Amino acid sequence: MRLRNIFLAALTILAVSGTSLYAQQTGYSVPSVSVQIGSTNNPQQVSQNLQILILLTVLTLAPSILIMLTSFTRIIIVLAFTRQALATQQIPPTQILVGLALFMTFFIMSPVINDINKNALQPYLKNEISQQEAFNRSAVPLREFMLRQTRENDLALFVDISRMPRPKTPQDLPLQVLIPAFVISELKTAFQMGFVIFIPFLVIDMVVASTLMSMGMMLLPPVIISFPFKILLFIMVDGWQLITRSLVYSFR
């Protein structure tokens, strides 16, 4: 590790030295990047800079928002369970599963996205509402979506942990209570669906294992024999369509 760090440092010094020597010999200028903090008398410029900073912060948190506040968690876990049940190792690849989960998430969340765009984003871009009002309007469809998918026991758990007064209506629940309750509800639902997916493939493994034992072929791994039967069963029942249909309808 130490030798590698020394080697990388030497390469960096050589690259910088070579660039400077080339610039001196050819007369070309090397671009430089600098960051300056100065003062301004224009409040609007400060406001624009703060908006850019907030936008960059939101973009940084966008993956977490996508994972925690949408249907992505349930979809990717169920797809991972399906691959594990088929025992296909890395087929389909993880990139394929994540891409499929993203497109299914956009499909399922399209009514929520359209509602946010119509009632929050577009009025804000037209300067018809303030930023706080746009945030409040954006939270309404997301809250309704999460409440439909969250179990009452999970909500009660986080209400008790936070020691807050018992809310009179679901709309009184703060987001810091609703979001973790929604996440653990999604995890439970995904594991339930994964268990159901595992059952037929587990039966195939048990049948193949008992057949090999009765034939005295105990040294032959049952996975080698059961693998093509799993693929055949999955193809015959059109497994990807069934799983996709089940996932989409599970959110309605």
Side-chain angles (χ1 to χ4, degrees):
M1 180 67 69
R2 185 176 180 182
L3 290 176
R4 186 180 67 177
N5 293 336
I6 295 175
F7 180 71
L8 292 176
L11 285 180
T12 304
I13 294 172
L14 289 175
V16 174
S17 301
T19 303
S20 301
L21 182 60
Y22 176 78
Q24 293 176 0
Q25 292 178 353
T26 58
Y28 291 108
S29 60
V30 180
S32 61
V33 179
S34 61
V35 178
Q36 297 180 356
I37 300 177
S39 60
T40 179
N41 296 323
N42 187 1
Q44 185 176 2
Q45 183 178 358
V46 177
S47 176
Q48 292 176 353
N49 293 336
L50 290 177
Q51 291 179 3
I52 294 174
L53 180 61
I54 294 173
L55 178 61
L56 292 176
T57 304
V58 172
L59 291 177
T60 304
L61 299 176
S64 299
I65 296 174
L66 175 64
I67 292 174
M68 296 300 175
L69 305 185
T70 63
S71 58
F72 182 83
T73 301
R74 184 189 305 185
I75 296 173
I76 192 62
I77 291 177
V78 172
L79 294 179
F81 267 114
T82 303
R83 184 175 66 180
Q84 188 70 23
L86 288 171
T88 55
Q89 300 292 328
Q90 294 297 322
I91 301 175
T94 303
Q95 293 85 349
I96 301 298
L97 294 184
V98 172
L100 177 60
L102 284 174
F103 280 106
M104 290 182 63
T105 299
F106 291 140
F107 177 79
I108 293 171
M109 300 296 296
S110 58
V112 178
I113 296 174
N114 293 334
D115 192 351
I116 294 174
N117 180 63
K118 179 180 178 181
N119 298 322
L121 181 60
Q122 293 302 325
Y124 174 71
L125 294 178
K126 296 177 182 178
N127 295 323
E128 297 177 357
I129 59 176
S130 63
Q131 185 176 0
Q132 183 63 36
E133 179 65 20
F135 175 78
N136 294 334
R137 291 188 181 184
S138 300
V140 172
L142 278 176
R143 180 187 294 271
E144 293 177 354
F145 171 79
M146 289 188 289
L147 283 173
R148 288 198 304 267
Q149 310 302 326
T150 307
R151 295 177 174 84
E152 294 183 3
N153 293 335
D154 298 328
L155 289 172
L157 171 64
F158 285 96
V159 169
D160 293 338
I161 293 175
S162 63
R163 297 181 180 179
M164 60 175 292
R166 189 177 183 86
K168 298 180 180 179
T169 62
Q171 286 69 26
D172 296 334
L173 286 168
L175 290 178
Q176 63 267 24
V177 171
L178 178 58
I179 292 176
F182 168 74
V183 172
I184 63 173
S185 294
E186 288 293 284
L187 290 175
K188 183 176 181 180
T189 303
F191 273 73
Q192 289 176 343
M193 298 180 69
F195 174 76
V196 174
I197 292 173
F198 254 98
I199 291 177
F201 301 108
L202 180 62
V203 171
I204 292 177
D205 286 333
M206 295 176 62
V207 170
V208 171
S210 61
T211 302
L212 292 178
M213 290 183 63
S214 63
M215 296 174 61
M217 304 173 65
M218 288 180 281
L219 297 179
L220 181 64
V223 178
I224 298 178
I225 307 300
S226 63
F227 177 72
F229 289 101
K230 291 180 181 180
I231 299 298
L232 180 62
L233 173 65
F234 198 71
I235 294 174
M236 290 180 62
V237 300
D238 201 356
W240 292 115
Q241 183 183 18
L242 288 177
I243 291 172
T244 303
R245 181 187 296 270
S246 300
L247 282 170
V248 172
Y249 280 99
S250 67
F251 289 96
R252 297 185 177 180

